[in-house]
Amino acid sequence: MKNMGTADRAIRLMVAILIAILYFTGTITGTAALVLGFVAVIFAATSMVSFCPLYPLLGINTCKNK
């Protein structure tokens, strides 16, 4: 079941790409790089499957129903 809209997915993917760029250019390192890298992987994965497991717990649904 999808619960993420197109804009939500695009924003998450852009944030994940930005974090990857910051990591590979050496702007972020150490613990911050690990934490942000984990966040980037989660953002990329959830945007690809259009489902965020936290949204149902928070009562959020950005996907337009047909």
Side-chain angles (χ1 to χ4, degrees):
M1 178 187 220
K2 295 181 180 184
N3 65 1
M4 291 175 59
T6 305
D8 192 3
R9 292 175 59 210
I11 291 168
R12 284 174 179 252
L13 197 54
M14 284 189 284
V15 170
I17 292 169
L18 177 63
I19 292 170
I21 290 169
L22 292 174
Y23 174 76
F24 287 116
T25 60
T27 305
I28 55 173
T29 59
T31 305
L34 291 175
V35 171
L36 289 174
F38 182 72
V39 169
V41 168
I42 297 299
F43 273 16
T46 57
S47 72
M48 294 296 171
V49 296
S50 300
F51 180 78
C52 178
L54 290 177
Y55 278 11
L57 299 173
L58 299 173
I60 299 172
N61 186 350
T62 61
C63 184
K64 293 184 180 184
N65 294 331
K66 292 182 180 182

